[in-house]
Amino acid sequence: MLASWREPDARRLVSRIISQYRSELKYKGSVSMKWSFGKTVVKSVMMVAACALSTAAMAQQKELILSGFGGAYDEAMAASVKSFEQENGVKVTIVAGSGANNIARVRNKEVDVIVSDPVFALRMEAEKAFSPLDPNLVPNLKTLYPNAIYSDAVVAANFGAYVIAYNPAEVRAPESWYDLAKPEYKGRVALRGFRPENIDLITLFAKRAGGSERNPDAGFAELAKIAKNIDVWVDAHANHLELYRNNQISMSVWTDGRIAWARNTEGLKIEGVIPKEGFFPLSSTLSVVAGRPNGELAQKLVNHLLSPASGLNMASRLGYFPTNREAKLPPEIQAKIMITPDNVKDLQSADWKYIVSVYDKWQQRWEREVQR
């Protein structure tokens, strides 16, 4: 009953009670009767005011803050959450965030759900910043691909694919990640620095040489070889695009979605290929911030963002592959995405729970041995 009240309704009711009180006083003969009736009115007004305040508080709680990446990604999520808002009577406010800004928001409990990546998410989980996802509130957990689940509090909503991008007018399609280090490509290769895809690449090289995340020497050594072929380190997608447009590079590590954008929208001669050793996910993770007032509703929002419908929306708008196995992409959409239900298992990923414990040491080593 209270949930249907609004503040203007409360004000009108208070006004009506007071008017009735004034009318009744004309007919109340004694002071004691007036005093008794006055106390009744005061109690009624206080009750209505309390109801109004309670309703206002409830209305404030009916908002979820979702922290995204900004730009087109947040616009696509806004389309996904419309039906959730209608079904749950809640307003989902999407705010863009990154880096230190996100860390502060999570630590200060300013957001309910955060979209991020495995490095950030697992570092925050180690600080007990996230609530474990409840399978009863997030039933879509059971239909996710296994490699989309990083922990009981961090899951991926969608994947992009890190592959080798190349200019077919200049080079043949690369077959292997090791091709990036070939001497004939000196000055013609681009990477983006110490980022998740290159951490995955270090791990892949280390494992193929008999090492692992805990023994990554061979991986760093191979990246140091690749670095000899790099004249310009990429710092943004726009910069990446211009390097191809200006014919400064022939090959790079880039995502399938950006390759399609550069080719189909920007008109560049560029293709992408999955190396024979496998490829890496650009993972968009979801986590629920602990200690917020609407925890159950936030979990339901995560479930909604993991749904086949949300996955289809993100795939059609942005070219990301849904992590829900029950999402079926139309052929014309699947044709634009390099990850498929058949090869999603070939995505190579580091042990991110371990990586976050050595992240700072790896970054220092990267700066000493690779990007000098």
Side-chain angles (χ1 to χ4, degrees), residues 268-298:
L268 297 190
K269 291 181 179 179
I270 188 171
E271 297 292 340
V273 63
I274 298 174
K276 61 185 178 182
E277 298 90 359
F279 57 142
F280 314 122
L282 168 62
S283 180
S284 300
T285 61
L286 295 170
S287 301
V288 173
V289 177
R292 291 281 291 174
N294 288 300
E296 287 193 7
L297 199 56

Side-chain angles (χ1 to χ4, degrees), residues 106-109 111-112 128-132 287-293:
V106 170
R107 286 175 176 166
N108 295 334
K109 303 187 186 304
V111 297
D112 295 286
K128 310 298 183 184
F130 299 142
S131 296
S287 301
V288 173
V289 177
R292 291 281 291 174

